[in-house]
Every structure is written in C-alpha cells, then in structure tokens.
C-alpha cells in the first residue's frame, strides 16, 4: 500500500516561522516512519503563491509579482533543504502543471453543474481574502477572523454549490470519526456545517494574480479564488489534469494543517473532491499554535522565533525532538529556551546520550569493543520481554498522530537500559570473574539502544544513524523488520567510539525575547540597552532599574465596564487614572470577570503603552494580572489609593 502525506502549502507573504517548521517536522517524521516500514511513500510540501495579498506585497516591495513569489518560495525550499526535510515534491501554485490541473478541475465541476455564475455582494476582508455574511461580522463592520475593517464589494463571480454538499459532508464526518484528528477538533467543523453552508464564490475579477479561467469557459476577466487554487495542489502535485502517473497515491493519508485552516480542509476540500468524484483524504490532522514564553508571537512584539536561528543554536534534530515531544498534537504549544534546554539535558543527554557512552566505555574496557548477544536471553529475558512490550505498543501512537506519546513510550526503553546497568552492576561481575554475565548486560543494553535508535530514526534521522554506526548496524527497512517486527537481536558486533551526542547546555544559546516593548527610542534608553547587553552575559534576567521605571504603572479606578459584544475575551473599561479624561482600556479578562465585578474597584494599569486597536476600539493601557492553570486574577492595591497614584 502506498502512503501520501502533505504539509499545507505555505503562503509566500512572509518568511517561515516556527509553526511552519512544526508542521513540516511532523509530516517529515511520519513520511520517514512510513518509508522505514517499507511503505511506498509520497511526501508533499510547497508554496501557495496567488491572491491579492501577494500582488499587493510585491507592489510594496517594488518587485514584479512572479519575482517576489520566486524569492519567498525559495526561502522556504532552502530552509527545508537545510533542515533535511525528505519531501518528494515541492509544489508551487505558479507551476504550469498546477495551473493546468486547476483549470481541468474547474471544467469538471462546471460541466457537472456545480459551478454557476452570479453576483456577489458582500463584506470582504482583504487580509483574509474572504467574504463574510453580515451576520458574522463584528459590530456589522469588522472581520470575525482578524478584526480588521471589511469593505462592501459587489462583483460578478462564479460560485461553487457548496450548499449541495451539506448532507454528504455530515454523513462523511459521522461515518469516518477519524477524518478530523484529533477528534476533539471535529465538533467545530460539524457545527459549522450544521449551521448551513452558503455557496462559495470561487473566482475574482478585482485582481489578476491567480490561475486564469479555463479557455473553454471564455470569461477572461476572472481568476480563481485562492482557496480553490490552493487546495487543489494536493492532487495537481500527483499530476491531476496533466500527467496523471502518480494519481495512484491518492487519496492522501494525512493532510497536516494548522487549526486556523482546518475549516477549509475539512469542508471546502472534501466538497470539491466529491464534485470531482475523487475519494476523500483519510485524515486531516490539525495542530495548534506556538507561543513563546507564554506570549503570542508577533512582529510588533519582536518575539517571533525563527526556526533557523533555533536550529543554528541548538541543532535541528534537537528542535524536532523538542517540538514533537513537548506538545500533545492538536494543542497549542509554548517555545521557551528553558523547557527546551531541560529536555535536551534530561532526556537526550542523560537518558540517551549517557547510556550510549556507558556502553561504549564498558565494551571497550571489558572486551575490546567486541560484543555478541549470545548470553542475553539467558541472563536478561525479563528485560527483553519488557522491551518488546514497549516496541509493540509504539506504532499506534504515530499512526494516531500522537508523536508526544510515541516519544514518551519510546523513552521507557532508556529507563530499562539504565535500570539494567544499575541492577546488575557489570563492573562488580567483572571483578568477580563473571565475565559472561557482565557482557550479557552490556549486550542487552546495546540491543535496547539499537532498537530504540530504529524507532527514533524518523524523528532524529542523523543522530540515530550515528548511534547505529556506533553499534555497527544500519537503520533501514530490513533492520526495522529484523529488529522490531521479528524481534531479533544484534549478532556479533563491534562498538565504536563516538563523540558525545548531546553535550549538556548550561546557559541559553539565544538571546531571550524582549520582555517590554520600548515606548520611545530615546538616547538614554539606547545606552541602557547597550549596557544590558553586556550585563546579559552575567545574568540573562537582570535589568537596570532605569528600564523598570520606563514603564509607567499607576493605580486606576474602574468607572465603567461593559462586555464587548461577540467577543469571548474582551471587556471595555473606562478607568480613572487621575487625569482629565477617563482612559479606555480593552482587556482580555471577560472569561474571569463580569463588568459588575469591576465597577468601583481598583486595578494596576500600565499607563504609557502605545494605544492599540482591538476590534475597532482604542485601548489606552493594560491591566496587570496573573494567570496560572486555575485562571486569571487582577493585581490590585491592598488598600484603596487615589486614582493615578504611581506604582514603583
Ligand atoms: Zn480578516
């Protein structure tokens, strides 16, 4: 059986961030795992290059649109190449074969009566390239996805009869409970479809940077809507509409996507496929987002983590391990250097690296690096049984898209390996002249390491090749079958010295994310910044007192408070800071406080933040609050203080 695994195609309006790297690592891991098992596997990634946003970004950059797309697309491809991503094809939606395939699909849908021409009048968000019905807008004006102002657009458009597929989609979700993974994400999709599907506008006349209409339809001023174009990449990459030789890989086993584009993949895409009479993908795997040190990453905060920077500092395979191990698939994850370093030091360096070093050391000392597994069963059948149980349990975790559980279980092998040395103390056996027993212990641990390396190979391909080399075998489908499926042991083998695989890391290897956004770039601040850089070497967390006082903190009294309609998180407060006018602060505390809890109470306000616009409302400050797993609480003065009293 063949396997087909995809990442989303990445939009070329910005460079790769850590979320892109995460999706790509997961997909690469699964593809490598399937190949290891001997499956004929096709792994696709690429870039999405059409749409009004790209046209505008290119204009801003002063470049022809194609040149702009070429450059950004190349940054993705180069990064994946540098990271050793094992894709079989890197598709670009500006590829000629892709365009041909999209036109063919359009013709098929049109001939079937699933596409018709009409007018669209709607509220359009340029940033999201999406029309929204009035009922979905916030305050009848703002985009429900990004909060930006929408504009009313009327244009001629071709429509896809999405409404025809409502029942068929619901039937499919019901009969394929694993279509959307993790299952916890399925409800939002099902409810959306149950709420009623409107036909989907699939062409535009307001810009030209897209796949042209098929000639057979003869309506040149239209170009394809970006989602129709983009989603079809999963079949055009296999040659749909041109050379269809690779279509035998269809349907896909897993489309990995971020949760923000789940709806497009779980509703539009299967409806398009039904219209084309093609089978649906087996699974849509939707993952969460990454924060940094608990904060949402954004350019304005200056805390975006570049995957290249992390990989350069810590090693790309350590990063792969960390990201896959740290977060249950589907949930949001947090990147912090502390957590990353902890996993490198405790799991990679202590549990795995040290175990390998001990085996190298003991084998050298006891038997000049020559080991065989002859006596392993005799002395260590208990450990072999434990090891086999774990090895047998692993497959299901990766197949169910739970890499964190896979790695967690896999790590139990190292606990067995370390435990066996502690329990049997081969050095004591050597002293007592029980050399056979001592070598059996070394050999059983070498076998544990070998098998663990095979199973860890999809996550850390190069590192595990070094381990395999140290144990003088190769990781491939044959050794997978022998060592894992047939449970064979390594025969006579040499152990080679290798340098430590995971040197301990004592200090963060990258600069920490800036904590406080500078308000104005004064000379004084710049010089204090320079100073901090020097003191940073001594202690990363210390700041100058002057830096602290750059933040103006004040006691405020809440005069008015109301809910922001349609927002789950926001409350709008009017706060007395002892100034002439009240300050309006929009705060994300609605889940924890009702307006009545707040009126006439005091809060601590960051008073010199640049005003920000949230859901179209100006917010002129920020409340201090503390949040842990039990929820959020505001920081308040212990006794009433005059409004505007500075805090320091
Ligand atoms: Zn928007």
């Amino acid at each position: 059986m063949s396997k087909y695994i995809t990442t989303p195609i990445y939009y070329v309006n910005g460079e790769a961030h850590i979320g892109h790297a995460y999706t790509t690592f997961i997909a690469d891991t699964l593809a490598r795992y399937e190949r290891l098992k001997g499956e004929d596997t096709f792994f696709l990634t690429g870039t999405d290059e059409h749409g009004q946003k790209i046209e505008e970004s290119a204009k801003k950059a002063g470049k022809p649109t194609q040149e702009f797309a070429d450059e950004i697309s190349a940054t993705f491809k180069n990064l994946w190449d540098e990271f050793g991503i094992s894709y079989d094809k890197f598709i670009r939606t500006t590829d000629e074969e892709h365009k041909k395939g999209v036109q063919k699909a359009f013709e098929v849908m049109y001939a079937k009566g699933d596409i018709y021409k009409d007018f669209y009048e709607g509220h359009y968000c340029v940033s999201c390239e999406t029309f929204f019905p009035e009922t979905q807008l916030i305050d009848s004006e703002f985009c429900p996805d990004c909060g930006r102002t929408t504009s009313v657009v009327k244009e001629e458009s071709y429509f896809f009869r999405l409404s025809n597929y409502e029942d068929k989609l619901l039937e499919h979700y019901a009969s394929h409970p694993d279509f959307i993974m993790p299952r916890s994400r399925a409800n939002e999709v099902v409810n959306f479809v149950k709420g009623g599907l409107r036909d989907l506008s699939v062409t535009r006349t307001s810009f030209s940077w897209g796949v042209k209409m098929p000639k057979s339809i003869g309506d040149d001023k239209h170009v394809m809507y970006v989602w129709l174009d983009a989603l079809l990449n999963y079949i055009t990459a296999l040659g749909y509409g041109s050379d269809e030789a690779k279509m035998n890989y269809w349907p896909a086993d897993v489309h990995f996507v971020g949760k923000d584009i789940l709806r497009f993949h779980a509703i539009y895409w299967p409806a398009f496929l039904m219209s084309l009479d093609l089978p649906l993908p087996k699974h849509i795997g939707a993952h969460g987002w990454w924060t940094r040190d608990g904060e949402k990453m954004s350019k304005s905060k200056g805390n975006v983590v570049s995957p290249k920077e992390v990989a350069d500092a810590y090693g790309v395979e350590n990063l792969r391990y960390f990201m896959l191990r740290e977060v249950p698939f589907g949930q949001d994850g947090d990147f912090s250097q502390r957590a990353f370093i902890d996993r490198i030091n405790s799991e990679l360096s202590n549990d795995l690296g040290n175990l390998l070093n001990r085996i190298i050391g003991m084998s050298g000392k006891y038997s000049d690096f020559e080991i065989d597994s002859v006596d392993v069963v005799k002395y260590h059948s208990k450990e072999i049984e434990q090891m086999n149980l774990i090895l047998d349990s692993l497959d299901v975790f990766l197949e169910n898209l739970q890499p964190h559980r896979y790695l967690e279980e896999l790590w139990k092998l190292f606990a067995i390996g370390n435990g066996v040395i502690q329990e049997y103390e081969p050095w004591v056996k050597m002293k007592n002249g029980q050399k056979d027993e001592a070598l059996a212990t070394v050999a059983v641990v070498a076998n544990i390491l070998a098998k663990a390396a095979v199973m860890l190979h999809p996550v850390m391909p190069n590192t595990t090749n070094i381990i395999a080399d140290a144990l003088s075998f190769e990781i491939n489908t044959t050794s997978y079958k022998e060592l894992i499926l047939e449970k064979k042991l390594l025969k006579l083998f040499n152990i080679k010295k290798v340098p430590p695989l995971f040197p301990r890391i004592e200090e963060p290897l990258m600069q920490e994310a800036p904590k406080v956004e500078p308000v104005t770039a004064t000379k004084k601040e710049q010089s204090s910044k320079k100073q901090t850089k020097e003191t940073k070497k001594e202690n990363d967390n210390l700041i100058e007192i002057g830096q602290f006082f750059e933040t103006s903190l004040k006691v405020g009294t809440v005069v008015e408070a109301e809910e922001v309609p349609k927002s789950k998180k926001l409350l709008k407060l009017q706060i007395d800071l002892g100034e002439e006018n009240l300050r309006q602060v929009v705060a994300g505390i609605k889940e924890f406080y009702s307006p009545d809890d707040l009126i006439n109470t005091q809060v601590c306000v960051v008073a010199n933040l640049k005003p920000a616009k949230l859901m179209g409302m100006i917010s002129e400050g920020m409340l201090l609050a503390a949040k842990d797993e039990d929820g959020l609480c505001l920081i308040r003065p212990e006794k009433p203080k005059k409004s505007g009293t500075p805090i320091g």
Side-chain angles (χ1 to χ4, degrees):
M1 265 219 322
S2 64
K3 296 280 174 180
Y4 182 26
I5 292 156
T6 71
T7 74
I9 44 174
Y10 301 117
Y11 206 41
V12 294
N13 63 341
E15 282 181 17
H17 57 68
I18 200 95
H20 297 129
Y22 177 62
T23 327
T24 309
F25 290 157
I26 289 202
D28 185 63
T29 296
L30 193 61
R32 287 175 183 274
Y33 184 62
E34 298 298 354
R35 289 190 201 110
L36 183 65
K37 293 203 297 185
E39 304 284 2
D40 174 13
T41 302
F42 195 81
F43 169 26
L44 175 73
T45 188
T47 44
D48 178 8
E49 306 181 15
H50 287 131
Q52 194 172 4
K53 244 191 291 185
I54 303 301
E55 203 174 64
E56 282 169 4
S57 298
K59 217 176 270 168
K60 248 185 239 164
K63 285 178 183 160
T65 317
Q66 184 66 56
E67 191 184 313
F68 178 83
D70 288 347
E71 277 174 22
I72 310 239
S73 177
T75 64
F76 277 92
K77 189 164 185 295
N78 293 341
L79 186 67
W80 301 154
D81 288 343
E82 193 179 322
F83 283 0
I85 301 301
S86 64
Y87 58 82
D88 294 287
K89 184 176 171 78
F90 187 100
I91 190 171
R92 303 183 53 189
T93 55
T94 49
D95 290 343
E96 283 313 313
E97 295 81 32
H98 171 74
K99 293 186 204 167
K100 253 167 85 180
V102 173
Q103 287 172 337
K104 154 102 185 282
F106 195 96
E107 282 173 330
V108 172
M109 293 172 177
Y110 187 77
K112 203 175 175 185
D114 272 344
I115 286 180
Y116 63 94
K117 191 170 170 178
D118 202 343
F119 281 95
Y120 199 102
E121 182 170 344
H123 301 267
Y124 187 65
C125 174
V126 176
S127 178
C128 300
E129 298 192 8
T130 309
F131 278 99
F132 294 98
E134 181 123 29
T135 52
Q136 279 185 24
L137 295 185
I138 294 165
D139 296 339
S140 5
E141 185 185 350
F142 303 105
C143 171
D145 283 352
C146 72
R148 290 186 174 83
T149 308
T150 57
S151 49
V152 176
V153 173
K154 180 173 180 176
E155 64 176 60
E156 192 186 79
S157 173
Y158 285 83
F159 285 80
F160 174 77
R161 287 189 203 277
L162 188 62
S163 57
N164 270 3
Y165 290 91
E166 222 170 278
D167 293 342
K168 281 181 204 155
L169 286 168
L170 290 172
E171 257 167 52
H172 188 80
Y173 305 143
S175 57
H176 298 78
D178 284 333
F179 180 62
I180 296 164
M181 292 171 85
R183 286 185 183 195
S184 55
R185 289 234 160 263
N187 275 348
E188 63 188 74
V189 172
V190 171
N191 289 338
F192 187 87
V193 176
K194 280 186 177 160
L197 294 177
R198 293 162 152 254
D199 289 350
L200 190 67
S201 164
V202 290
T203 66
R204 293 283 181 270
T205 53
S206 51
F207 62 94
S208 59
W209 184 245
V211 180
K212 304 276 176 287
M213 288 284 277
K215 285 216 172 65
S216 62
I217 292 170
D219 207 345
D220 296 347
K221 61 181 189 293
H222 287 264
V223 295
M224 308 282 179
Y225 166 60
V226 70
W227 276 106
L228 177 68
D229 162 13
L231 287 165
L232 285 164
N233 93 86
Y234 300 125
I235 52 174
T236 62
L238 300 177
Y240 179 85
S242 49
D243 166 19
E244 304 210 341
K246 289 210 159 64
M247 277 301 282
N248 63 310
Y249 284 103
W250 190 258
D253 292 84
V254 193
H255 292 312
F256 283 103
V257 301
K259 64 181 179 183
D260 52 324
I261 53 172
L262 172 61
R263 201 181 280 177
F264 301 98
H265 282 79
I267 300 173
Y268 300 176
W269 180 226
F272 294 158
L273 287 165
M274 287 174 182
S275 179
L276 295 171
D277 290 315
L278 286 171
L280 306 196
K282 290 176 196 152
H283 309 290
I284 313 284
H287 66 75
W289 287 329
W290 284 83
T291 51
R292 180 175 193 180
D293 301 317
E295 299 240 10
K296 205 176 159 186
M297 280 183 259
S298 76
K299 270 189 197 156
S300 58
K301 281 189 204 158
N303 66 345
V304 177
V305 199
S306 141
K308 165 126 173 72
E309 189 191 343
V310 186
D312 285 348
Y314 291 93
V316 65
E317 299 208 347
N318 290 352
L319 179 61
R320 286 169 73 108
Y321 173 78
F322 171 74
M323 295 191 96
L324 267 58
R325 176 65 187 83
E326 179 77 1
V327 187
F329 181 78
Q331 295 181 20
D332 291 344
D334 185 53
F335 178 86
S336 80
Q337 292 197 78
R338 198 64 262 164
F340 190 10
I341 292 169
D342 282 351
R343 286 206 187 273
I344 292 176
N345 287 346
S346 70
E347 291 159 18
L348 294 175
S349 182
N350 274 359
D351 298 345
L352 167 55
N354 285 352
L355 188 60
L356 180 66
N357 287 343
R358 292 178 87 178
I359 288 307
I360 294 171
M362 288 192 274
S363 69
K365 219 166 159 187
Y366 306 162
S367 69
D368 203 16
F369 299 107
E370 256 180 48
I371 299 288
D372 64 52
S373 299
V374 178
D375 291 326
V376 166
V377 178
K378 184 169 158 200
Y379 294 109
H380 291 293
S381 59
K382 184 183 82 189
E383 287 79 17
I384 289 182
E385 200 180 313
Q386 290 171 341
M387 171 177 74
N388 286 339
L389 273 178
I390 292 169
L391 290 170
D392 285 344
S393 76
L394 289 175
D395 182 68
V396 75
F397 293 119
L398 259 201
E399 294 292 346
N400 286 344
L401 311 189
Q402 296 176 303
H404 70 291
R405 291 279 294 120
Y406 180 86
L407 289 169
E408 192 181 18
E409 289 302 307
L410 179 53
W411 243 248
K412 290 182 181 167
L413 293 173
F414 304 126
I416 297 175
N418 280 305
V420 105
I421 295 177
Q422 218 169 343
E423 188 184 338
Y424 291 85
E425 298 178 317
W427 52 93
V428 176
K429 301 260 156 58
M430 283 302 286
K431 261 190 212 152
N432 298 344
Q434 298 162 292
K435 190 173 176 186
D436 286 357
E437 283 182 51
L439 290 181
T441 302
V442 174
V444 76
V445 176
N447 275 285
I448 289 172
L449 276 167
K451 291 171 193 239
V454 172
M455 296 308 272
L456 185 57
H457 186 67
V459 181
M460 307 185 84
N462 292 328
T463 310
T464 49
N465 279 341
I466 297 172
I467 297 172
D469 190 41
L471 302 174
S472 60
F473 78 106
E474 268 177 39
I475 300 176
N476 52 36
T477 302
T478 310
S479 58
Y480 168 81
K481 286 196 171 136
E482 289 175 358
L483 293 175
I484 307 298
L485 298 184
E486 293 160 18
K487 304 194 164 53
K488 288 186 183 159
L489 298 174
L490 294 170
K491 289 191 190 105
L492 180 69
F493 55 98
N494 285 311
I495 293 190
K496 274 187 231 157
K497 277 189 183 176
V498 291
L501 292 176
F502 310 102
R504 277 187 71 83
I505 297 171
E506 304 299 341
E507 290 293 322
L509 303 176
M510 299 175 355
Q511 285 236 332
E512 291 293 354
K515 291 273 187 288
V516 179
E517 198 175 311
V519 178
T520 45
T522 61
K523 263 196 181 149
K524 190 179 140 210
E525 188 187 294
Q526 279 166 354
S527 71
S528 80
K529 248 189 191 167
K530 204 172 169 192
Q531 251 181 351
T532 333
K533 220 177 186 177
E534 282 156 13
T535 44
K536 232 178 191 161
K537 278 179 204 148
E538 287 168 27
N539 189 327
D540 247 14
N541 298 318
L542 299 183
I543 60 166
E544 300 287 323
I545 185 80
Q547 275 178 292
F548 174 73
F549 284 115
E550 281 164 16
T551 312
S552 162
L553 295 170
K554 287 183 180 172
V555 174
T557 308
V558 180
V559 179
E560 288 169 38
E562 57 181 299
E563 299 194 344
V564 173
K566 314 231 174 76
S567 167
K568 273 188 219 150
K569 297 204 174 133
L570 299 180
L571 289 182
K572 187 166 83 176
L573 312 176
Q574 307 297 333
I575 298 178
D576 181 359
L577 281 181
E579 299 164 335
E580 200 174 330
N581 296 316
L582 297 179
R583 285 277 191 112
Q584 174 164 299
V585 172
V586 181
I589 55 173
K590 188 168 168 182
E591 292 159 279
F592 310 98
Y593 289 92
S594 74
D596 289 344
D597 298 335
L598 295 167
I599 294 174
N600 290 325
T601 66
Q602 292 202 305
V603 289
C604 299
V605 181
V606 181
N608 62 343
L609 275 186
K610 274 187 197 165
K613 218 172 181 186
L614 295 162
M615 304 269 269
M617 294 168 298
I618 294 285
S619 179
E620 308 162 296
M622 195 179 92
L623 305 187
L624 295 192
K627 190 176 179 187
D628 63 11
E629 59 275 14
D630 296 328
L632 172 146
C633 80
L634 290 166
I635 310 295
R636 302 170 180 280
E638 189 191 17
K639 291 179 192 147
K641 285 282 147 195
K642 255 187 243 159
S643 296
T645 306
I647 302 169

